[in-house]
Amino acid sequence: MKKIFIISFILFFAVSSNTFSKDKGDGRPNGGALSYGEFGRPATLDPITSNEMIAVRIVELIFNGLVGINEKQEVVPELADKWEISPDNRTFTFHLRKDVLWHKPQGTAEDRYLSADDVIFTYNIMSHPKTITPLKLRYEFIQEVKKVDSDTVQFTLKRPILNALAKFTFKIIPKHGPRNQEFLTRDDPFVQNPIGTGPYYLKTVTSDGEIVLLSNENYFKGRPHIDKLIAKPFADQNIMTQALMFNAIDMMVLVNPRNIPEIEGDKRFILYPYNALSYSFFGYNLKNPFLADKKVRKAFTYAINRQEMLESFFNGRGTIISGPFAPGSWAYNLDIKPLPYDPAKAKELLSEAGFKDTNGDGIVEKDGKPFTAVLKVPIEKESEAVKRVVLAFQNYLKNVGVDVKVEFREWQAWKEDVFAENNFDIIFASWVFDDSADISSLFHSGEIGQWKNNFGGYSNPDVDALIAESKLTLDFEKRRTINQKLHSIIADENPYTFLWTLTNYAGVQKKVRKVEIHPYKFFSFADEWFIPEAEQK
Amino acid sequence: MKADKKIITAFVILAFILLVLNIVSHAAEESLKKAMEKYETHRYSEGIALLRKEIDGRQKDELVLPYFILGRFYLKEAELYRTMYETSLMTTNDYLIKLNSVRTGKKSKYLPYFMGLLYLETGQAKKAAATLQQFVNSNSVDTVLKEKARLKLGAAYYISGDRKKAEDIWAQVASAGEDVIAEKGYVYARLNIKLKDAFEMAQISINLSQKNGSKNHFKKYREIVFIYYKNDMSDAALGLMDKISLNEPEVLDNVEKNKAVRFYDPALLNDMSRIYYYAAGKYFNKVMSLRGREKYEDLIRFYLSEVNYRLNRYDDAINEINGFLKYSKLDVKYNKKINILLGACYYKKGDKKQAVEIWDDLLNKNLEDDSAISALMDAYAELNVDATAVLKRIEIQTASKDEKKLKPFYNSLGMLYYSRKDYEKSVQALELVRDKANKNKIEANDPVFLIRLANSYYRIKKYSEALEIFFELGKAYPVVRQIQDTIQGVYSADEKGSGDVRIY
């Protein structure tokens, strides 16, 4: 009798599990694992405090927004299954799905469903003055949010804004998630143990820093096909490439341009182009009185041979840029050409700025102080190529009389130096943008401060005014003109020396099918990817 | 002794002459070699410039090869501009619609004019008339453009069949300024009427600008070159080609503070394509009039048939093709390709039955000839012909999963999918052709192919991929600026970003 009871219980449980597991019903097989290489480890795994691309990709797998954007650039339902917009375009009422379950942390049995309280909680915590997040500026246009009922939320905007509905893709976090119910900091356990509604949930972070995600059987769009995703950190991109070639990983989100021919020629892999709107740059700290002078910064741009660096270190696989947008962006000002390599001009500008080599040691001085600058570089990402770039930069500047000392820093330490303490003279890094081409957080004077993106302290009232106007206008062509003007001013002022946009490809094992990559978020459609049964590990 | 000295001197002089001739000959070959390098790296306009300079210094009997190569360059350039034109029509249409749909802020007063031009280009004469009339009626636009609009309005009525109204409208054109006169001649040339009058107007316009000392607007040169081309004045037309600036907007409208809109004449790329086809034909025919042409005759007939086809001279093309099929000693692959073109000629003339018969016969006899099948697919794609039979064959290849067998088809397959509006599949197929290590470089990828890939990306709204392609193309072909501006405009209207930016 006891045996029958146990067997019945087991059978019942199995049937129940299958009943509650939502299959996509598209006929494609479930199963298999996909591991991919990442450039280091993210500091946090939540959508509020994170400010790096590694985290963006992970967050895309774990969380959802009220709406999503599909492959056709259409706004589609996500956590909200329908919405209304008032005629004056200021009130957005979202009706939430009733079948969205939060991931269950280990040891929890209770099912918790998404509700309006979670949406309001997310907005409040995002807006709290003590929450350090890049989202505050982006969502300043929201005046208030209110709960209409347990499944309905209403946002009121301060003013109508361009493409407003698309802005509601920000990720929703659970009220029961963070320990602190008012504001979110990096000390909160939630940022390391996120709870979301997405196709994958965080299983564990191993001692090696591998982030293991498992498929969410209860995902409201149907469970994703691939059972397990593993993000493996690599300090060196060359080692990552070797890991791909030796089947230690299945995918690289960004192939080093130098390795493209090798991977393209290998029948095991497919290269998927995706236009991440990104560029690399040397950024200057304008609190340094030497670098505060525009002539000096411009001199630096003239002093370096960007084309030569691109050819030598990346086999020419990229494009030199002239300003703060990628060439694939709608905002790029096609009339502004990159400054030429002209070391003579660089020396002339330095001289005009008051720098002279009075003691003949090859280093220029001003007011008795030699021109020495510290260049801080994060050691992850394309570490070999990065090293070559910064050493070349150092050499070019030496030729015009500027002594640059290079310091390689571990990623988190580098971010502390740059964003928290502004403890640098020059940095080398890259930005990546979504389609909005929004540079306001980079160059608006209101974004100077701890953990804010205007780490160089750049301030120009004309730029501030243009940015403000671009946010107010509802005319897409006016916004484009404004951005072109911003491009022109910023190119002239050189708060950065803009370098290049590199050729972007993801390298993926052929076994992974139906791969569609979001140009910014990467994994937006990963729940549809699948591995044929015969090829599942 | 004296006689010996004379013989030695003569010998030395002769040796020197031979040496110089050899150097010149060698140098001449070097120039042609450099030009061919430009051909291989798809830098056609640079190659054309090299060759035209080279030709100036040559004797008549040394011109066969340079003329032949120049003809090939112009043919490639023509194909490239034709492809750009197709793209520009698509992106300009979308862009102007978006501009017109703006409900807040000021609209450009020039919008009706350029919408009218677009409607004219796309054969929508009635719509063109309506929007151009709107522009002519407005008070706030400059006189010269208004008169040009009046001329185009007349053209719209002429195309619609109301020739009397067209003449009445043209008679109302007030201005006798050099730009309006040139425009009038251009409109006549475009309509293929009163070509002699058009030529006279071109001359009057040039004389007036010389008299006034005015700087000729780039657009006027293009119009005058077109008039010369239509009057079959090849040397005059080709002589002015270099003066045409191709990347400037026709109008830059500062609509209001911080809103500037660039408008381009949608006919520009079509005109340039036709002029380049014409130039190709001219140079091929020049070869045919020279001694030493024999080894190029077959190929020239082959290319001339395409030139005539592209210039809508279908009967001339058919004659050329028949001559080729009768006399050619070239490899049979040329016969197959020219038969495909023959079918296309009949198709364009309206004899679709004849066309399909030719193609079906070719398909059935050449099932194993990948090159012929690809060429057939290209024709189907361009003419929007039902390609079910061909695709079925390709699907058999797909089922066999033999990738090597599929490779020759990827380009054509991509275009076929594009013609069937299956843009996702088009991208997938074309991506397999792309040299990924040199992603958008024209040295490694045919620019016509790149534009087609960009079109496919544009259609699936991956605008940034398309813009990246045109950014690279723009370095060698600044004329794509009009495409870049319109894609940027469409993209900025469509984008669904949330304002995110991250460091890495």
Short mmCIF file of all heavy atoms in Angstrom, two decimals, chain A residues 475-519:
data_model
loop_
_atom_site.label_atom_id
_atom_site.label_comp_id
_atom_site.label_asym_id
_atom_site.label_seq_id
_atom_site.Cartn_x
_atom_site.Cartn_y
_atom_site.Cartn_z
N ASP A 475 10.12 66.13 -32.35
CA ASP A 475 10.39 66.11 -33.78
C ASP A 475 11.69 65.34 -34.01
O ASP A 475 12.77 65.81 -33.63
CB ASP A 475 10.50 67.56 -34.27
CG ASP A 475 10.70 67.68 -35.77
OD1 ASP A 475 11.24 66.73 -36.39
OD2 ASP A 475 10.34 68.71 -36.33
N PHE A 476 11.60 64.18 -34.64
CA PHE A 476 12.78 63.33 -34.78
C PHE A 476 13.85 63.99 -35.62
O PHE A 476 15.04 63.80 -35.39
CB PHE A 476 12.42 61.96 -35.38
CG PHE A 476 11.98 62.00 -36.82
CD1 PHE A 476 12.91 61.89 -37.85
CD2 PHE A 476 10.64 62.17 -37.16
CE1 PHE A 476 12.51 61.94 -39.18
CE2 PHE A 476 10.24 62.22 -38.48
CZ PHE A 476 11.17 62.11 -39.49
N GLU A 477 13.46 64.82 -36.59
CA GLU A 477 14.45 65.44 -37.47
C GLU A 477 15.15 66.58 -36.75
O GLU A 477 16.33 66.84 -36.96
CB GLU A 477 13.77 65.92 -38.76
CG GLU A 477 14.72 66.18 -39.90
CD GLU A 477 15.49 64.95 -40.39
OE1 GLU A 477 15.45 63.89 -39.74
OE2 GLU A 477 16.16 65.05 -41.42
N LYS A 478 14.42 67.25 -35.87
CA LYS A 478 15.04 68.30 -35.06
C LYS A 478 16.06 67.65 -34.11
O LYS A 478 17.16 68.16 -33.93
CB LYS A 478 13.96 69.02 -34.27
CG LYS A 478 14.48 70.24 -33.52
CD LYS A 478 13.35 71.11 -33.05
CE LYS A 478 13.92 72.37 -32.40
NZ LYS A 478 12.92 73.38 -32.14
N ARG A 479 15.68 66.55 -33.54
CA ARG A 479 16.59 65.85 -32.63
C ARG A 479 17.85 65.43 -33.37
O ARG A 479 18.96 65.50 -32.84
CB ARG A 479 15.89 64.64 -32.04
CG ARG A 479 16.70 63.92 -30.97
CD ARG A 479 15.96 62.75 -30.40
NE ARG A 479 15.65 61.76 -31.42
CZ ARG A 479 15.48 60.47 -31.19
NH1 ARG A 479 15.62 60.01 -29.97
NH2 ARG A 479 15.17 59.65 -32.16
N ARG A 480 17.69 65.03 -34.62
CA ARG A 480 18.87 64.61 -35.40
C ARG A 480 19.78 65.81 -35.65
O ARG A 480 21.00 65.70 -35.53
CB ARG A 480 18.42 63.97 -36.72
CG ARG A 480 19.56 63.36 -37.50
CD ARG A 480 19.06 62.35 -38.50
NE ARG A 480 18.46 62.94 -39.68
CZ ARG A 480 19.05 63.00 -40.88
NH1 ARG A 480 20.26 62.55 -41.04
NH2 ARG A 480 18.40 63.51 -41.91
N THR A 481 19.20 66.94 -35.99
CA THR A 481 20.01 68.15 -36.22
C THR A 481 20.75 68.53 -34.95
O THR A 481 21.94 68.89 -34.99
CB THR A 481 19.12 69.33 -36.67
OG1 THR A 481 18.33 68.93 -37.79
CG2 THR A 481 19.97 70.52 -37.05
N ILE A 482 20.06 68.45 -33.83
CA ILE A 482 20.70 68.79 -32.55
C ILE A 482 21.88 67.87 -32.28
O ILE A 482 22.97 68.30 -31.88
CB ILE A 482 19.68 68.71 -31.40
CG1 ILE A 482 18.66 69.85 -31.51
CG2 ILE A 482 20.37 68.76 -30.04
CD1 ILE A 482 17.48 69.71 -30.57
N ASN A 483 21.67 66.57 -32.52
CA ASN A 483 22.77 65.63 -32.29
C ASN A 483 23.95 65.89 -33.21
O ASN A 483 25.10 65.73 -32.82
CB ASN A 483 22.27 64.20 -32.44
CG ASN A 483 21.69 63.66 -31.14
OD1 ASN A 483 22.42 63.44 -30.17
ND2 ASN A 483 20.40 63.50 -31.08
N GLN A 484 23.64 66.30 -34.44
CA GLN A 484 24.73 66.63 -35.37
C GLN A 484 25.53 67.83 -34.84
O GLN A 484 26.76 67.88 -34.96
CB GLN A 484 24.18 66.91 -36.76
CG GLN A 484 23.72 65.65 -37.46
CD GLN A 484 22.89 65.92 -38.69
OE1 GLN A 484 22.50 67.05 -38.99
NE2 GLN A 484 22.58 64.87 -39.45
N LYS A 485 24.83 68.79 -34.25
CA LYS A 485 25.52 69.95 -33.66
C LYS A 485 26.35 69.51 -32.46
O LYS A 485 27.47 69.98 -32.27
CB LYS A 485 24.51 71.01 -33.22
CG LYS A 485 23.91 71.78 -34.38
CD LYS A 485 23.13 72.99 -33.91
CE LYS A 485 22.70 73.81 -35.13
NZ LYS A 485 21.96 75.00 -34.79
N LEU A 486 25.80 68.62 -31.66
CA LEU A 486 26.54 68.09 -30.52
C LEU A 486 27.82 67.40 -31.00
O LEU A 486 28.89 67.57 -30.43
CB LEU A 486 25.68 67.11 -29.72
CG LEU A 486 24.60 67.74 -28.84
CD1 LEU A 486 23.64 66.67 -28.32
CD2 LEU A 486 25.21 68.50 -27.67
N HIS A 487 27.66 66.62 -32.04
CA HIS A 487 28.82 65.93 -32.63
C HIS A 487 29.89 66.95 -33.00
O HIS A 487 31.08 66.79 -32.69
CB HIS A 487 28.36 65.13 -33.85
CG HIS A 487 29.41 64.28 -34.47
ND1 HIS A 487 29.18 63.00 -34.93
CD2 HIS A 487 30.73 64.51 -34.76
CE1 HIS A 487 30.28 62.49 -35.44
NE2 HIS A 487 31.23 63.38 -35.36
N SER A 488 29.46 68.02 -33.65
CA SER A 488 30.40 69.03 -34.13
C SER A 488 31.13 69.70 -32.97
O SER A 488 32.36 69.85 -32.98
CB SER A 488 29.63 70.05 -34.97
OG SER A 488 30.48 71.07 -35.38
N ILE A 489 30.38 70.10 -31.95
CA ILE A 489 30.99 70.80 -30.80
C ILE A 489 31.94 69.88 -30.06
O ILE A 489 33.08 70.24 -29.73
CB ILE A 489 29.90 71.32 -29.84
CG1 ILE A 489 29.01 72.35 -30.53
CG2 ILE A 489 30.54 71.93 -28.58
CD1 ILE A 489 27.78 72.75 -29.72
N ILE A 490 31.46 68.69 -29.76
CA ILE A 490 32.26 67.77 -28.96
C ILE A 490 33.50 67.32 -29.72
O ILE A 490 34.57 67.14 -29.14
CB ILE A 490 31.39 66.59 -28.48
CG1 ILE A 490 30.34 67.12 -27.50
CG2 ILE A 490 32.23 65.51 -27.82
CD1 ILE A 490 29.25 66.13 -27.15
N ALA A 491 33.35 67.15 -31.03
CA ALA A 491 34.53 66.80 -31.84
C ALA A 491 35.58 67.91 -31.76
O ALA A 491 36.77 67.65 -31.70
CB ALA A 491 34.12 66.58 -33.29
N ASP A 492 35.10 69.13 -31.71
CA ASP A 492 36.02 70.26 -31.65
C ASP A 492 36.67 70.38 -30.27
O ASP A 492 37.82 70.75 -30.13
CB ASP A 492 35.26 71.55 -31.98
CG ASP A 492 36.16 72.77 -31.95
OD1 ASP A 492 37.18 72.77 -32.65
OD2 ASP A 492 35.85 73.71 -31.19
N GLU A 493 35.89 70.08 -29.23
CA GLU A 493 36.38 70.29 -27.87
C GLU A 493 37.20 69.12 -27.33
O GLU A 493 37.90 69.27 -26.34
CB GLU A 493 35.18 70.52 -26.94
CG GLU A 493 34.37 71.75 -27.33
CD GLU A 493 34.24 72.72 -26.19
OE1 GLU A 493 33.66 72.34 -25.15
OE2 GLU A 493 34.72 73.86 -26.33
N ASN A 494 37.10 67.97 -27.94
CA ASN A 494 37.92 66.81 -27.56
C ASN A 494 37.94 66.48 -26.06
O ASN A 494 39.01 66.27 -25.51
CB ASN A 494 39.38 67.05 -28.00
CG ASN A 494 39.57 66.84 -29.48
OD1 ASN A 494 39.79 65.73 -29.96
ND2 ASN A 494 39.46 67.91 -30.22
N PRO A 495 36.79 66.35 -25.41
CA PRO A 495 36.87 65.81 -24.05
C PRO A 495 37.40 64.37 -24.10
O PRO A 495 37.88 63.84 -23.11
CB PRO A 495 35.42 65.84 -23.57
CG PRO A 495 34.60 65.87 -24.81
CD PRO A 495 35.42 66.59 -25.85
N TYR A 496 37.26 63.78 -25.27
CA TYR A 496 37.89 62.49 -25.57
C TYR A 496 38.71 62.67 -26.84
O TYR A 496 38.40 63.54 -27.66
CB TYR A 496 36.87 61.40 -25.89
CG TYR A 496 35.83 61.03 -24.86
CD1 TYR A 496 34.79 60.19 -25.22
CD2 TYR A 496 35.87 61.47 -23.55
CE1 TYR A 496 33.82 59.79 -24.31
CE2 TYR A 496 34.91 61.09 -22.62
CZ TYR A 496 33.89 60.26 -23.02
OH TYR A 496 32.92 59.87 -22.11
N THR A 497 39.66 61.80 -27.03
CA THR A 497 40.14 61.55 -28.38
C THR A 497 39.36 60.34 -28.84
O THR A 497 39.54 59.23 -28.32
CB THR A 497 41.65 61.28 -28.39
OG1 THR A 497 42.34 62.50 -28.10
CG2 THR A 497 42.09 60.78 -29.76
N PHE A 498 38.48 60.58 -29.80
CA PHE A 498 37.66 59.49 -30.32
C PHE A 498 38.51 58.63 -31.23
O PHE A 498 39.20 59.15 -32.11
CB PHE A 498 36.44 60.07 -31.06
CG PHE A 498 35.55 60.86 -30.15
CD1 PHE A 498 35.62 62.24 -30.11
CD2 PHE A 498 34.63 60.22 -29.32
CE1 PHE A 498 34.81 62.98 -29.26
CE2 PHE A 498 33.81 60.95 -28.47
CZ PHE A 498 33.91 62.33 -28.43
N LEU A 499 38.43 57.35 -31.05
CA LEU A 499 39.31 56.45 -31.80
C LEU A 499 38.57 55.76 -32.95
O LEU A 499 38.61 56.21 -34.06
CB LEU A 499 39.92 55.41 -30.86
CG LEU A 499 40.87 56.00 -29.82
CD1 LEU A 499 41.31 54.91 -28.83
CD2 LEU A 499 42.08 56.63 -30.48
N TRP A 500 37.91 54.68 -32.64
CA TRP A 500 37.32 53.86 -33.71
C TRP A 500 36.14 53.05 -33.23
O TRP A 500 35.94 52.84 -32.04
CB TRP A 500 38.37 52.88 -34.27
CG TRP A 500 39.16 52.22 -33.18
CD1 TRP A 500 38.72 51.32 -32.24
CD2 TRP A 500 40.55 52.41 -32.91
NE1 TRP A 500 39.72 50.97 -31.39
CE2 TRP A 500 40.86 51.60 -31.78
CE3 TRP A 500 41.55 53.18 -33.49
CZ2 TRP A 500 42.15 51.56 -31.23
CZ3 TRP A 500 42.82 53.12 -32.94
CH2 TRP A 500 43.10 52.32 -31.83
N THR A 501 35.39 52.60 -34.20
CA THR A 501 34.39 51.55 -33.98
C THR A 501 34.94 50.30 -34.65
O THR A 501 35.29 50.33 -35.83
CB THR A 501 33.06 51.95 -34.63
OG1 THR A 501 32.52 53.07 -33.95
CG2 THR A 501 32.06 50.80 -34.56
N LEU A 502 35.03 49.23 -33.91
CA LEU A 502 35.57 47.99 -34.46
C LEU A 502 34.47 47.14 -35.09
O LEU A 502 33.29 47.30 -34.78
CB LEU A 502 36.26 47.19 -33.36
CG LEU A 502 37.52 47.85 -32.77
CD1 LEU A 502 38.09 46.99 -31.64
CD2 LEU A 502 38.60 48.07 -33.84
N THR A 503 34.90 46.24 -35.94
CA THR A 503 33.97 45.30 -36.57
C THR A 503 33.47 44.30 -35.53
O THR A 503 34.26 43.64 -34.87
CB THR A 503 34.69 44.55 -37.70
OG1 THR A 503 35.18 45.50 -38.63
CG2 THR A 503 33.77 43.59 -38.40
N ASN A 504 32.15 44.22 -35.39
CA ASN A 504 31.54 43.38 -34.35
C ASN A 504 30.99 42.08 -34.90
O ASN A 504 30.13 42.09 -35.76
CB ASN A 504 30.35 44.13 -33.72
CG ASN A 504 30.76 44.95 -32.53
OD1 ASN A 504 31.91 44.94 -32.12
ND2 ASN A 504 29.82 45.66 -31.96
N TYR A 505 31.49 40.98 -34.39
CA TYR A 505 30.88 39.69 -34.70
C TYR A 505 30.81 38.88 -33.41
O TYR A 505 31.72 38.93 -32.59
CB TYR A 505 31.72 38.90 -35.71
CG TYR A 505 31.56 39.32 -37.14
CD1 TYR A 505 32.53 40.11 -37.76
CD2 TYR A 505 30.45 38.93 -37.88
CE1 TYR A 505 32.39 40.49 -39.08
CE2 TYR A 505 30.30 39.32 -39.20
CZ TYR A 505 31.28 40.10 -39.79
OH TYR A 505 31.14 40.49 -41.11
N ALA A 506 29.75 38.09 -33.29
CA ALA A 506 29.72 37.05 -32.28
C ALA A 506 30.12 35.75 -32.97
O ALA A 506 29.73 35.52 -34.12
CB ALA A 506 28.33 36.92 -31.68
N GLY A 507 30.90 34.94 -32.31
CA GLY A 507 31.29 33.64 -32.87
C GLY A 507 30.52 32.56 -32.13
O GLY A 507 30.62 32.45 -30.91
N VAL A 508 29.74 31.77 -32.85
CA VAL A 508 28.84 30.80 -32.21
C VAL A 508 29.01 29.42 -32.84
O VAL A 508 29.12 29.31 -34.07
CB VAL A 508 27.36 31.24 -32.38
CG1 VAL A 508 26.43 30.34 -31.58
CG2 VAL A 508 27.16 32.69 -31.99
N GLN A 509 29.02 28.42 -32.00
CA GLN A 509 29.04 27.04 -32.48
C GLN A 509 27.82 26.78 -33.37
O GLN A 509 26.72 27.23 -33.05
CB GLN A 509 28.96 26.08 -31.28
CG GLN A 509 30.28 25.77 -30.64
CD GLN A 509 30.87 24.47 -31.15
OE1 GLN A 509 30.26 23.80 -31.98
NE2 GLN A 509 32.03 24.12 -30.68
N LYS A 510 28.04 26.05 -34.44
CA LYS A 510 26.95 25.80 -35.40
C LYS A 510 25.78 25.07 -34.77
O LYS A 510 24.66 25.16 -35.28
CB LYS A 510 27.48 24.96 -36.56
CG LYS A 510 27.88 25.78 -37.72
CD LYS A 510 28.02 24.96 -38.98
CE LYS A 510 28.49 25.94 -40.07
NZ LYS A 510 29.41 25.50 -40.99
N LYS A 511 26.03 24.32 -33.71
CA LYS A 511 24.95 23.54 -33.12
C LYS A 511 23.82 24.45 -32.60
O LYS A 511 22.68 24.00 -32.45
CB LYS A 511 25.49 22.69 -31.96
CG LYS A 511 25.91 23.48 -30.75
CD LYS A 511 26.41 22.60 -29.63
CE LYS A 511 26.70 23.43 -28.39
NZ LYS A 511 27.25 22.66 -27.28
N VAL A 512 24.14 25.68 -32.31
CA VAL A 512 23.11 26.59 -31.79
C VAL A 512 22.33 27.16 -32.96
O VAL A 512 22.89 27.77 -33.86
CB VAL A 512 23.74 27.74 -30.97
CG1 VAL A 512 22.64 28.55 -30.28
CG2 VAL A 512 24.74 27.21 -29.96
N ARG A 513 21.04 26.94 -32.94
CA ARG A 513 20.20 27.35 -34.06
C ARG A 513 19.28 28.50 -33.69
O ARG A 513 19.05 28.79 -32.52
CB ARG A 513 19.34 26.16 -34.54
CG ARG A 513 20.09 24.89 -34.77
CD ARG A 513 21.02 24.98 -35.97
NE ARG A 513 21.92 23.83 -36.01
CZ ARG A 513 21.66 22.68 -36.61
NH1 ARG A 513 20.51 22.51 -37.24
NH2 ARG A 513 22.53 21.68 -36.59
N LYS A 514 18.70 29.09 -34.73
CA LYS A 514 17.77 30.22 -34.61
C LYS A 514 18.37 31.34 -33.76
O LYS A 514 17.71 31.93 -32.91
CB LYS A 514 16.43 29.77 -34.02
CG LYS A 514 15.30 30.70 -34.52
CD LYS A 514 13.93 30.26 -34.07
CE LYS A 514 12.84 31.10 -34.73
NZ LYS A 514 12.84 32.50 -34.38
N VAL A 515 19.63 31.63 -34.07
CA VAL A 515 20.32 32.66 -33.31
C VAL A 515 19.95 34.03 -33.87
O VAL A 515 20.19 34.32 -35.04
CB VAL A 515 21.85 32.46 -33.38
CG1 VAL A 515 22.57 33.61 -32.72
CG2 VAL A 515 22.25 31.14 -32.72
N GLU A 516 19.34 34.82 -33.05
CA GLU A 516 19.03 36.21 -33.39
C GLU A 516 19.63 37.04 -32.26
O GLU A 516 19.35 36.76 -31.09
CB GLU A 516 17.52 36.40 -33.47
CG GLU A 516 17.07 37.82 -33.80
CD GLU A 516 17.28 38.22 -35.24
OE1 GLU A 516 17.07 37.38 -36.12
OE2 GLU A 516 17.69 39.38 -35.47
N ILE A 517 20.46 37.99 -32.60
CA ILE A 517 21.18 38.75 -31.58
C ILE A 517 20.68 40.19 -31.56
O ILE A 517 20.60 40.84 -32.61
CB ILE A 517 22.70 38.72 -31.88
CG1 ILE A 517 23.21 37.29 -31.75
CG2 ILE A 517 23.46 39.65 -30.95
CD1 ILE A 517 24.65 37.12 -32.21
N HIS A 518 20.35 40.65 -30.39
CA HIS A 518 19.99 42.07 -30.27
C HIS A 518 21.27 42.90 -30.32
O HIS A 518 22.23 42.58 -29.62
CB HIS A 518 19.25 42.31 -28.95
CG HIS A 518 18.68 43.67 -28.82
ND1 HIS A 518 19.44 44.77 -28.45
CD2 HIS A 518 17.43 44.14 -29.05
CE1 HIS A 518 18.67 45.85 -28.44
NE2 HIS A 518 17.45 45.50 -28.79
N PRO A 519 21.30 43.95 -31.11
CA PRO A 519 22.57 44.69 -31.28
C PRO A 519 23.10 45.30 -29.99
O PRO A 519 24.29 45.56 -29.88
CB PRO A 519 22.23 45.78 -32.30
CG PRO A 519 20.75 45.84 -32.37
CD PRO A 519 20.23 44.51 -31.96
#
